Amino acid sequence: MAIISLHLPKTAGTSFKASLAAHFGELFKEDNNDQAISQPVPQRCKAALSAGMVIAERGLDEVKCVHGHFLPVKYLLLGTQRDLTFVTWMRDPIARLISHYYYWQESYDEKTAAPHHRQVIEERWTPEQFCLSEKFRNIYTQYLWGFPLENFAYVGISEHYREDMQEFCARFLSTRLQPQHCNATTYRHSRPRLDETFLGKVRNFHAADMKLYQRALQWRQARLRRGFEKTPGDRVQEASGPAVVARGPKISF
């Protein structure tokens, strides 16, 4: 079994990566080179499917964990050949969006920035522009093209990172790892306060991601009610949540 960990931006994915890398060592691999969201939709989808064919042909060798920013559909074809466990983390989409904006303000490097990042900084976008931009609308949904949320064996909630990290480790790693905290957004200047009317508009604009996040929260509540009675060998598909381990995930092109 190999873990395929999708890092949705600003959802504690860097902290999660640090723990995975420490646990798996040389069997850990990063996949961060796609810059998929910076590409037009047809181009990114075609590239993900093409990459998936290559990955399925070459396999992962001895790699036991892949983590990074990518469209997870690229690993679905490989999932028909070997057991893969897809995992990710989610955060309130509006809090994630605002954190993303201020992180980009602080982390900009004109030599390495992706095109979208460069545009935001060089055109001096306001938080309002960023939050209501079509480019960044429903980021979760953009990443999950062709990949239903049910294909994830585990969706952690960033607001409950410590507790969910312990649960993840118990279920999938059979050990306890000390949660790490990396890449937290800092901002040297005071942040302008966004009024509730505007935030309501942003929630409506990102309605698809809000729906995904609410489903993830519901699954978490269902897990808490069940406790840890499900073991990593179980293949369980319930209305209240995704399978504990994905044994050859459903193909959804």
Side-chain angles (χ1 to χ4, degrees):
M1 182 187 75
I3 291 174
I4 307 297
S5 171
L6 169 62
H7 180 180
L8 295 166
K10 303 310 296 176
T11 60
T14 303
S15 299
F16 190 52
K17 178 191 75 172
S19 295
L20 292 175
H23 177 74
F24 286 101
E26 294 182 355
L27 303 182
F28 174 85
K29 177 184 177 182
E30 282 195 71
D31 184 354
N32 280 323
N33 295 324
D34 290 357
Q35 292 192 348
I37 302 303
S38 294
Q39 302 177 28
V41 173
Q43 183 178 338
R44 80 175 67 147
C45 296
K46 181 179 179 180
L49 295 178
S50 297
M53 295 177 66
V54 174
I55 291 169
E57 180 179 351
R58 296 179 179 176
L60 295 177
D61 296 324
E62 300 301 315
V63 171
K64 296 295 184 183
C65 180
V66 177
H67 174 90
H69 299 293
F70 50 78
L71 269 61
V73 70
K74 71 188 283 188
Y75 288 97
L76 273 180
L77 189 58
L78 179 65
T80 66
Q81 303 172 12
R82 61 176 294 183
D83 292 341
L84 299 179
T85 299
F86 289 89
V87 303
T88 194
W89 292 79
M90 285 188 170
R91 176 184 183 183
D92 177 272
I94 309 310
R96 190 218 67 77
L97 192 66
I98 294 170
S99 177
H100 197 165
Y101 173 81
Y102 286 108
Y103 174 71
W104 271 11
Q105 300 300 310
E106 293 296 294
S107 64
Y108 180 65
D109 182 341
E110 64 178 356
K111 297 179 181 178
T112 60
H116 283 6
H117 191 176
R118 185 183 304 277
Q119 180 182 14
V120 168
I121 300 302
E122 295 187 356
E123 295 181 6
R124 299 180 181 275
W125 282 24
T126 65
E128 289 80 4
Q129 284 177 281
F130 188 83
C131 289
L132 295 176
S133 166
E134 286 291 341
K135 287 185 173 67
F136 305 111
R137 187 176 192 179
N138 295 314
I139 283 291
Y140 295 161
T141 304
Q142 291 192 49
Y143 270 99
L144 298 185
W145 175 81
F147 196 93
L149 196 64
E150 289 78 8
N151 278 350
F152 286 102
Y154 191 80
V155 181
I157 301 298
S158 302
E159 290 89 340
H160 303 282
Y161 185 73
R162 181 173 292 275
E163 299 93 327
D164 285 7
M165 182 64 178
Q166 291 176 355
E167 180 189 8
F168 170 82
C169 291
R171 290 188 178 218
F172 299 102
L173 303 182
S174 299
T175 188
R176 293 176 64 90
L177 299 180
Q178 183 66 30
Q180 302 191 42
H181 299 280
C182 310
N183 209 32
T185 299
T186 59
Y187 191 57
R188 292 190 298 266
H189 311 289
S190 60
R191 299 186 185 185
R193 189 174 185 83
L194 301 175
D195 68 77
E196 192 56 40
T197 300
F198 173 74
L199 292 176
K201 184 177 181 180
V202 175
R203 291 186 188 98
N204 289 334
F205 190 72
H206 296 271
D209 276 9
M210 294 297 298
K211 184 176 180 180
L212 289 174
Y213 178 67
Q214 289 302 318
R215 287 169 65 193
L217 286 176
Q218 292 169 3
W219 290 350
R220 182 177 190 273
Q221 288 302 313
R223 294 199 307 267
L224 292 176
R225 289 194 297 268
R226 295 199 298 265
F228 287 1
E229 76 273 15
K230 302 292 190 273
T231 63
D234 292 337
R235 177 179 175 83
V236 181
Q237 195 78 324
E238 304 178 12
S240 59
V244 174
V245 173
R247 302 287 190 185
K250 298 173 287 184
I251 302 298
S252 302
F253 294 109

